[in-house]
Amino acid sequence: MSVTLGDQGLILDGQSLPLVSGSVHYWRHSAKDWPLLLDRVVALGFKIICVYLPWSVHEAGVGTFDFGEMDPAKNVGRFLDMAAERGLYVLARPGPHINAELTYFGYPARLFADPIYLARNARGGTAILPVPPRSFPVISYASEAFWKELTGWFNAAATIVRPRLYPDGPIVAVQLDNEMSYFFRTSAYDIDYHPDARRKWLDFVTEKYGTEYKVSDAYHASKLPSEMPLPDDFTAAEPPDLPFYLDWMEFKEHHLVDCLARLRRLWEERGVTDTVFFHNYPVCEARSPFNLPAAERVVDFCGVDFYMHKHEYHDLKRKLLFLSGQSRFPVSPEFASGCYLWWPPVDLEDQVFTSKVAWMFGLKGINFYMLVERDRWYGSPITRTGAVRREYWDFFEAHLQLLERLRPWELQRTANVCLLSVRDYERLEGAATAASPLPPLGLGAAVPPEDLCYEHTIGFERPVQYLQAKAMRNWEYALTAKSIPYVIGSSDMSLDELSAFDVVICPTFEFLCGVTQKNLMHYLNKGGHLVCGPDIPGLDELMDEYALLMSYATRPTEKLECDADIDVLLCEAGRGEMILVTDVPLPKEKIMPVAETVFDRFDLKSSYAVTPPCETSLHEAPGRQVLYIANPSAEPCRCRVQLPEAGRSFVDLETGHRYLSDSVLEIDLAPYTVRILEVRR
């Protein structure tokens, strides 16, 4: 028998297992404490645990490993068997990168002594990861020597994992690495300039174009790519210069995905098959160099980690909308339960609020990190001695009971609008950064990455690398202000995925990938509604002439009335309609009259409009409706929700309190509160 991924969780013996789990680190506890700790996990209500297997913990010497023969705390096989005896399933995370707040992130210290394994910066120097308690060099996944070393660890770990795969054991999923992100150094010209990375770059561009000579033609270069230096700064002056930089950013995405595929092959060669493979990105918006749809072509699901505070609601919501808009099964493989010692504290109030927000915006599965406290971590419901931290325990116990009633994995968040993030514009934004090598991951919460871009136009009408993100944020602002539910998709979504939405909003400029243009054209021809602009693309990603959408825009049928100094043009397009917004409304408040014109034309409205600052989110399944109402502010408020029709009642799934209203539901919400109401007629 095998384990597969279904719409609602893992499928075991034809039955769906909801993916709700918590992390436990066996090696950080005495083996004599394992029974008590696992009993606590079961008593709390969990059915799945998430377990790291660190290479550095088990390697006793080059080619030798300790799985309990020397140190009982390293007998991971016994720990997994004890979990199985208690009816617990296991998500296994054997790395090689595990992080786990270990000093060397799970890699043997010996690797850092040999430059052959280490990533290089653009100047050829060793890249360092500046993390507490001790900075250390970054491993290069481009290094073939590293992959050769890795096989020794996988050979050993497979002897533990393979015989314990379901149904013979408790392991129901295996993670392929952890937070693969160039060790959080994601800036365009930071790493990796390892000699083996150069060879992979040449293989990538040659495969893309066919020959080295065609690569040179695409780059308008007099040299072959093997003779050209790798990109180490953004010096593009005109559109023909851009393919070189766009390819570099695409290569950085490709390299991460290719490494995941290689890891999967290594496990399958060692008999780890017929299970679910997954991956997780660090806290991010799943934009370049993270390519979530591409990752899910080699793993069963790719989630995103969340360690966020209640006052970061809008940032958390945005990241969740990226995840739910692009993943086939939106999961958070690490969701804050407690906090790392060197981070700003994630307290219980943060956990209570953000966990409900996660379900509110489309999460289908969650792993709480950590359930059991240990060194370098605090604030978990179970202490390292097995004692109960009462307030935290009570929250998790109540939350699991809520999930049994709510069953969010059975529900689908209603959203008929897809706000499309264009992959090539993301790549241009990353390539045109003026902050390199400072990683965007370190700045994202405080400084939007587009604000770190060079602002010159590169020969276009406008600075695309800057304005594309501003246009996206403007539409997010307008959709939220009007309580219109949406997701944030990716321009490399398939036509079938696009066709699930009544309206697609896609900021467009003078160039746009040819495949994306084709998909949008077919979407329109099938009767879709597209909002684009400020420009209609006449070029593709290679800056060659390509203007599939242009024919629709050359003869607009109507200029829509709009209380703004921006033309909003209606164009007939196949069986559908296209609206061209001819400028990027700045500041963002200028988007509202434009958005209202668009929303009126396409009859976009909320089923449950709400007074700001509150927000709503409706989730449905056959015969069921669940309404989330959030107050994401620091002040209490009386929330007024407009009902779509009279005769509806609501039951609070946490308290059991009932509400009945004809047209407006009024409810008092404390600061940073989410109410989850079952809708009844």
Side-chain angles (χ1 to χ4, degrees):
M1 289 181 224
S2 63
V3 182
T4 57
L5 180 69
D7 293 335
Q8 299 177 18
L10 303 177
I11 305 297
L12 284 65
D13 301 330
Q15 300 297 313
S16 181
L17 175 67
L19 221 169
V20 178
S21 62
S23 292
V24 185
H25 291 175
Y26 59 91
W27 75 93
R28 285 173 145 142
H29 305 278
S30 172
K32 66 179 177 58
D33 292 332
W34 291 348
L36 175 59
L37 297 177
L38 290 172
D39 287 343
R40 291 292 196 204
V41 170
V42 173
L44 191 51
F46 283 87
K47 298 177 181 177
I48 309 174
I49 58 172
C50 194
V51 180
Y52 274 134
L53 285 73
W55 181 1
S56 64
V57 166
H58 292 286
E59 184 175 275
V62 179
T64 62
F65 298 89
D66 177 13
F67 289 113
E69 297 83 359
M70 293 177 277
D71 182 353
K74 297 179 181 180
N75 193 342
V76 59
R78 179 169 175 262
F79 178 81
L80 295 174
D81 294 341
M82 291 173 64
E85 290 166 3
R86 287 159 174 77
L88 289 167
Y89 299 104
V90 173
L91 310 178
R93 307 176 76 181
H97 173 204
I98 67 164
N99 196 331
E101 296 71 52
L102 290 172
T103 300
Y104 297 112
F105 281 17
Y107 301 94
R110 63 181 177 84
L111 295 183
F112 302 102
D114 191 338
I116 196 172
Y117 303 121
L118 304 181
R120 313 290 171 80
N121 59 36
R123 295 184 178 181
T126 300
I128 303 295
L129 184 62
V131 294
R134 180 184 303 159
S135 298
F136 59 89
V138 171
I139 294 292
S140 173
Y141 277 43
S143 166
E144 287 301 316
F146 166 73
W147 286 93
K148 185 177 180 179
E149 283 291 326
L150 176 60
T151 58
W153 164 239
F154 275 19
N155 288 339
T159 66
I160 302 297
V161 173
R162 186 177 55 246
R164 291 174 175 83
L165 292 172
Y166 182 87
D168 299 319
I171 297 176
V172 292
V174 176
Q175 184 188 39
L176 301 178
D177 213 52
N178 173 66
E179 298 179 332
M180 190 179 284
S181 58
Y182 298 99
F183 294 85
F184 317 115
R185 298 185 58 159
T186 54
S187 193
Y189 313 111
D190 189 358
I191 64 172
D192 188 2
Y193 291 83
H194 190 284
D196 291 347
R198 179 179 179 82
R199 285 189 285 273
K200 294 179 186 300
W201 155 258
L202 291 174
D203 290 343
F204 169 76
V205 294
T206 303
E207 181 179 352
K208 179 173 181 175
Y209 292 99
T211 68
E212 280 202 63
Y213 293 101
K214 290 183 179 179
V215 177
S216 297
D217 290 342
Y219 297 164
H220 301 275
S222 59
K223 296 180 179 180
L224 294 174
S226 56
E227 301 168 334
M228 299 166 58
L230 296 180
D232 60 5
D233 195 9
F234 187 72
T235 59
E238 55 186 358
D241 298 333
L242 291 182
F244 179 54
Y245 297 96
L246 297 179
D247 282 350
W248 176 247
M249 297 304 296
E250 184 181 359
F251 167 69
K252 293 180 78 70
E253 298 171 23
H254 167 82
H255 177 60
L256 296 181
V257 174
D258 187 59
C259 289
L260 292 177
R262 189 169 182 176
L263 289 168
R264 180 166 187 159
R265 290 194 299 271
L266 288 177
W267 282 117
E268 290 175 338
E269 290 165 1
R270 285 153 182 79
V272 178
T273 57
D274 297 326
T275 191
V276 166
F277 289 100
F278 69 98
H279 182 61
N280 62 313
Y281 287 141
V283 179
C284 70
E285 294 177 352
R287 300 176 352 123
S288 184
F290 306 114
N291 190 323
L292 204 152
E296 289 193 344
R297 290 195 282 270
V298 300
V299 300
D300 295 284
F301 67 87
C302 183
V304 171
D305 299 342
F306 294 102
Y307 295 92
M308 304 189 72
H309 306 86
K310 58 183 182 293
H311 65 268
E312 297 176 296
Y313 167 84
H314 296 288
D315 192 27
L316 172 59
K317 171 189 171 183
R318 191 171 206 253
K319 290 174 169 60
L320 286 164
L321 292 181
F322 267 97
L323 174 62
S324 61
Q326 299 181 30
S327 172
R328 68 168 67 95
F329 189 67
V331 173
S332 180
E334 293 184 24
F335 198 92
S337 170
C339 193
Y340 185 34
L341 291 175
W342 282 275
W343 291 342
V346 178
D347 61 24
L348 181 58
E349 289 185 2
D350 293 317
Q351 295 177 47
V352 171
F353 180 65
T354 59
S355 60
K356 295 175 187 175
V357 172
W359 303 116
M360 178 176 180
F361 290 109
L363 215 60
K364 295 286 188 181
I366 196 167
N367 174 64
F368 291 102
Y369 189 99
M370 302 277 307
L371 278 189
V372 180
E373 201 169 79
R374 37 75 176 183
D375 62 300
R376 304 184 186 183
W377 199 268
Y378 66 94
S380 299
I382 304 169
T383 74
R384 66 187 69 191
T385 63
V388 169
R389 183 168 282 109
R390 178 51 58 187
E391 286 186 318
Y392 292 77
W393 177 283
D394 289 347
F395 159 66
F396 277 99
E397 192 172 50
H399 192 73
L400 291 183
Q401 292 170 2
L402 168 65
L403 294 182
E404 284 297 314
R405 296 188 292 272
L406 174 60
R407 303 190 67 78
W409 41 85
E410 295 178 357
L411 300 166
Q412 187 64 38
R413 178 172 171 266
T414 60
N416 58 357
V417 176
C418 180
L419 182 55
L420 213 58
S421 183
V422 175
R423 186 73 62 187
D424 280 314
Y425 300 160
E426 294 175 11
R427 291 168 182 161
L428 178 56
E429 178 190 291
T433 178
S436 187
L438 203 62
L441 279 178
L443 291 169
V447 182
E450 67 270 17
D451 288 344
L452 302 174
C453 286
Y454 294 111
E455 294 185 34
H456 56 74
T457 63
I458 324 171
F460 294 122
E461 176 96 10
R462 303 170 175 84
V464 179
Q465 67 277 13
Y466 171 76
L467 287 180
Q468 56 88 23
K470 293 300 181 188
M472 288 285 293
R473 293 182 193 275
N474 282 357
W475 282 110
E476 293 170 45
Y477 173 80
L479 289 162
T480 299
K482 290 297 182 179
S483 299
I484 297 173
Y486 66 98
V487 298
I488 303 177
S490 170
S491 61
D492 45 19
M493 292 169 65
S494 69
L495 176 60
D496 286 343
E497 291 170 318
L498 287 176
S499 297
F501 298 96
D502 294 336
V503 177
V504 171
I505 301 175
C506 180
T508 56
F509 295 83
E510 284 103 319
F511 75 95
L512 184 65
C513 172
V515 173
T516 302
Q517 289 197 49
K518 283 183 181 179
N519 281 340
L520 292 177
M521 181 189 71
H522 291 314
Y523 169 77
L524 285 166
N525 288 338
K526 291 179 66 174
H529 302 94
L530 173 66
V531 182
C532 59
D535 301 300
I536 294 295
L539 305 172
D540 63 12
E541 70 275 23
L542 297 178
M543 306 303 137
D544 293 332
E545 290 188 7
Y546 197 91
L548 284 184
L549 296 176
M550 188 74 76
S551 61
Y552 294 142
T554 53
R555 294 185 299 276
T557 56
E558 186 179 348
K559 180 178 177 181
L560 300 179
E561 291 187 13
C562 177
D563 187 18
D565 55 352
I566 296 173
D567 288 339
V568 180
L569 306 177
L570 179 68
C571 311
E572 292 183 359
R575 292 168 53 200
E577 289 185 331
M578 182 173 78
I579 289 180
L580 174 62
V581 178
T582 59
D583 203 348
V584 177
L586 291 174
K588 69 179 181 181
E589 288 76 13
K590 290 183 66 175
I591 187 65
M592 291 312 300
V594 174
E596 288 167 354
T597 298
V598 171
F599 299 163
D600 287 345
R601 177 66 192 188
F602 292 149
D603 196 27
L604 286 176
K605 58 186 66 173
S606 171
S607 298
Y608 291 92
V610 64
T611 52
C614 295
E615 296 188 25
T616 60
S617 182
L618 181 66
H619 295 235
E620 296 183 295
R624 284 191 72 198
Q625 281 192 339
V626 171
L627 179 67
Y628 292 79
I629 309 174
N631 173 15
S633 74
E635 300 295 331
C637 66
R638 185 162 185 80
C639 179
R640 292 174 53 86
V641 182
Q642 299 290 329
L643 305 185
E645 60 185 35
R648 295 195 178 189
S649 65
F650 303 85
V651 177
D652 190 310
L653 289 178
E654 286 188 278
T655 66
H657 187 86
R658 293 176 179 269
Y659 300 89
L660 179 63
S661 180
D662 284 335
S663 58
V664 177
L665 172 64
E666 296 195 29
I667 185 170
D668 291 320
L669 294 180
Y672 300 115
T673 298
V674 178
R675 303 292 286 273
I676 306 175
L677 308 180
E678 185 99 40
V679 183
R680 298 182 181 175
R681 295 179 183 276

